[in-house]
Structures are given as structure tokens and as C-alpha cells.
Amino acid sequence: MTEYAGSRATGWRDAGSEDLDRSIQEHMEAGRKGAAARIARDAGRYEQALEWFRELDLHMQAGACLRALDRTEEALAELLREDPAGTAYRKCCFELIPVASELDRLDFDIDRYLTAFVDEGPRDRDEIPTYLQLAELFERTKFPRGAIRCLTKVLEAHPDHEETRERLKALERGDAPKETRSRGASATVRGLPPLPTLDELRALAREHAPSG
């Protein structure tokens, strides 16, 4: 499994402050702001690293810093700025899914952003837990078809994964929470126009009353 941006090198955490500052300064003077930002991040200087990652439009790395700072809402927005056509897209999805799950949020923009990630499916068994986490998020946010799509992709790549098979069977049987199964009816009720007030009804009655 690929080592994603959320992982942290530990070496700089043990470095002395002077050594750390010297190394960062050397990279900055050489025009290597990205390297300086990574050192700052690995040393736990997330605010400093965040500023430089943002200046470089490295949204995935900036999002990881925001998450480390417990600025979860901002982290989600930053991660969604990573180019889906870029080389960091897949790594970014592995950062984004836990953040969205923590916020219990899966709206149209997030669903659209993750479409290519879901369609590709897990590349190895180590990636399956993230797909299951996303499927669970789809269920919690009342999108069972999204959950079915995730689980199906896992089984296409790993047909022997029994947990996924059982969860998919349960969804296809309709063994979802009652809120999920009644979602269509509730949406229909919510979609109706508001009832007129008593004064509005009286005005309508006067308007359509027979003359004479």
C-alpha cells in the first residue's frame, strides 16, 4: 500500500530547534520551499508548514496540516481543491475519506470528487478498510446506492472478502436503517409547497366566490 500524505517522518521531531531552523533556512534560501514545508510538518510545526503548502498550491499536504490542527472543516475544503486529474488525487482521497467520515458529511461535491476513486476500486487488500469506511459513510448519510457501488468494487477486486460480501447482501435485501428506506417518502413530503395560511385561504375563497 502506498504511504499517504498523512504519514509523518519522526526524525525531525527529535532534532534540536537550532538544527531544525538551520535546515529549513537552507532549503528556503535554495528555493526549495516544498522541502522546507515538509520538514516543518514532520517536526510538528503545522501552522508554518500550512502557510508554505498553501503558497505552493499543495492542497493535499495543506489539508493534512489542517487536520492535524483539528481544523477539520477547513481540511475538508482544502482537500477538495486537489486536482482530480492530478497525480496526487488518489492519495488525497485517502486523506479526504476519514475527514468526511469524522464530519459525517457526504454531499454532492464530495460524492462527485470521489467517483473516480470508487470506480477504480482497491488496488490491494490494505486499501479495503478505506473503501468500507466510505461505504459506511454512504449508508449513514442515506445514500445506499453509493454504498453498494463501493462494496461491489471491493468484491470485484477481492471476491473472497466475506465481510464485504455480507454487507452487500444486507444492503441489497434492504436491511438498511429505517431512515434510509423511507428516504423517498420523506423527501416527497418535504418537497411539497407549504400549506396556505388561514388568511390566504379566506382571500382565495373571496376571489373565487360567485358574483351577485
Side-chain angles (χ1 to χ4, degrees), residues 12 15-24:
W12 286 110
S17 179
E18 290 185 5
D19 291 339
L20 182 63
D21 290 337
R22 186 183 307 112
S23 181
I24 288 175

Side-chain angles (χ1 to χ4, degrees), residues 1-36:
M1 180 178 177
T2 308
E3 184 178 347
Y4 296 107
S7 62
R8 301 284 178 256
T10 58
W12 286 110
R13 291 189 181 277
D14 300 326
S17 179
E18 290 185 5
D19 291 339
L20 182 63
D21 290 337
R22 186 183 307 112
S23 181
I24 288 175
Q25 185 64 30
E26 288 173 357
H27 282 296
M28 292 294 286
E29 290 175 354
R32 296 190 295 267
K33 186 181 289 185

Side-chain angles (χ1 to χ4, degrees), residues 5 57-65 78-79 82 88 91-92 95:
D57 289 331
L58 295 174
H59 303 295
M60 178 183 66
Q61 292 87 340
C65 288
E78 190 74 38
L79 291 166
E82 188 68 48
K91 293 180 181 180
C92 186
E95 291 281 352

